[in-house]
Amino acid sequence: MDSEERMAVFLDYENLALGAREHLGGMAFDFGPIADALAIRGRVVVRRAYADWSYFDEDRRSLTRHQVELIEMPQRMGASRKNAADIKMVVDAIEMAFERDYISTFVMCTGDSDFSPLVHKLRELNKRVIGVGVEQSTSRLLPAACDEFLFYDRLEGVEVPEEPTERRGRGRRTAAKDAGPGPTTPQVPATPPVAAAAEPSVSTPAGAAGEDEPAPPDDGASLEVLVAQTLAGLQSSTGGSVTASVLKRTLLRKDPTFSESDHGFRTFGDVLRHLAERGAVELASGPAAGDPEVSVPAHGEREDAFALLRTVVAESDGPVALSSLKNRLRKRRPDFSEKALGYRNFLQFCKDASAGAVDLRWDEDAEDYLLGT
């Protein structure tokens, strides 16, 4: 426990929420994927979000479910209050850096380059700084100032809506015909409610991205996906071996209610042995008795992923809808992630695979992409 990173998370919420809405197809910001990414890197001890919450009423409920402390900074007093939330966030971060020595890492969730001096100062104070921001709304100056920078739209669990060209073009023509003169977008639009993620490790895809919002799979498959994805993330983050104790601790960070007994196992070791028999993980002798090293079985990269896609599609009686395909892939390979292969979303992965592995076409009647061989 003493060797773990202790992290404080600060969210410039207006920057993140508006960045997601404007550059990620109108999607609502969800803190869940950030929480999962940070759980792999260490223990989060402080979570604070800064905004005028009268503009983000529904978002408050989602953040509260993720145990984020909401710092209210009203913006109604005119231009003199324009940067009040930013200033408060900087003051709190510097104060915490001096007063709480046990915090080793500061996570600054913003794309605003105005925070670059804060990042530099925190690093001068021997603090590690991780940045998080929406790629298209993040200043190019900020990532270079951080020790590590995570683009929100590339995180596991973030499915960026990507409307097909046919639907998008038709929608724009319709909107242009119906729109009247004058601005149609309010200065600070309301944010739709964000659903709390009941299972942190299972993506909650958006229909526009060609992926359904899956019904929970059977209990064994759900556990397999949870462990495999968490383990793959740990291996990618640490670059070294992962022990069973580290894996269990990370699972508890992602979901504090996790218990192997809920899945019918007496100990976590029983879980790992069961998954090893199914080929989902590999076990090797660890540094201590009863604490084996755990790893994801070596799979190929893109070509193997394309071959898996073709196999799953070929096993179907006819064309397969894109909205149900990712779940089928994960039943065959629980650790599958298109983001780990460098793709922004599952549709992009399938489009690349259509160059030779599968056939991909848009079907007007189904209002979905269909894949065949």
Side-chain angles (χ1 to χ4, degrees), residues 113-280:
S113 63
D114 289 348
F115 287 96
S116 295
L118 170 63
V119 172
H120 290 305
K121 181 57 64 176
L122 289 171
R123 295 184 70 182
E124 284 181 22
L125 296 171
N126 198 29
K127 304 297 184 181
R128 185 167 184 263
V129 180
I130 299 175
V132 182
V134 177
E135 186 169 5
Q136 294 300 317
S137 62
T138 294
S139 167
R140 288 181 295 177
L141 300 175
L142 191 59
C146 300
D147 294 290
E148 181 181 7
F149 199 93
L150 307 175
F151 287 115
Y152 174 74
D153 23 336
R154 299 183 189 179
L155 295 178
E156 186 68 37
V158 177
E159 303 295 343
V160 181
E162 183 176 333
E163 292 186 76
T165 304
E166 296 87 342
R167 186 189 302 172
R168 182 166 59 242
R170 184 167 58 249
R172 285 178 178 173
R173 287 194 295 272
T174 303
K177 184 169 68 174
D178 294 344
T184 59
T185 304
Q187 185 175 4
V188 183
T191 302
V194 179
E199 189 70 39
S201 68
V202 179
S203 303
T204 306
E211 301 176 37
D212 63 345
E213 184 172 334
D218 66 86
D219 193 59
S222 176
L223 176 63
E224 194 171 334
V225 170
L226 174 63
V227 172
Q229 289 185 343
T230 303
L231 180 57
L234 279 170
Q235 287 184 324
S236 174
S237 174
T238 62
S241 59
V242 178
T243 61
S245 59
V246 171
L247 176 59
K248 174 67 179 291
R249 199 156 57 231
T250 305
L251 289 169
L252 287 171
R253 289 197 201 110
K254 296 178 77 171
D255 179 9
T257 67
F258 173 81
S259 173
E260 53 271 9
S261 62
D262 293 339
H263 300 274
F265 296 93
R266 187 174 58 86
T267 66
F268 189 61
D270 292 340
V271 173
L272 296 180
R273 285 187 287 274
H274 169 74
L275 295 181
E277 290 173 358
R278 298 184 59 169

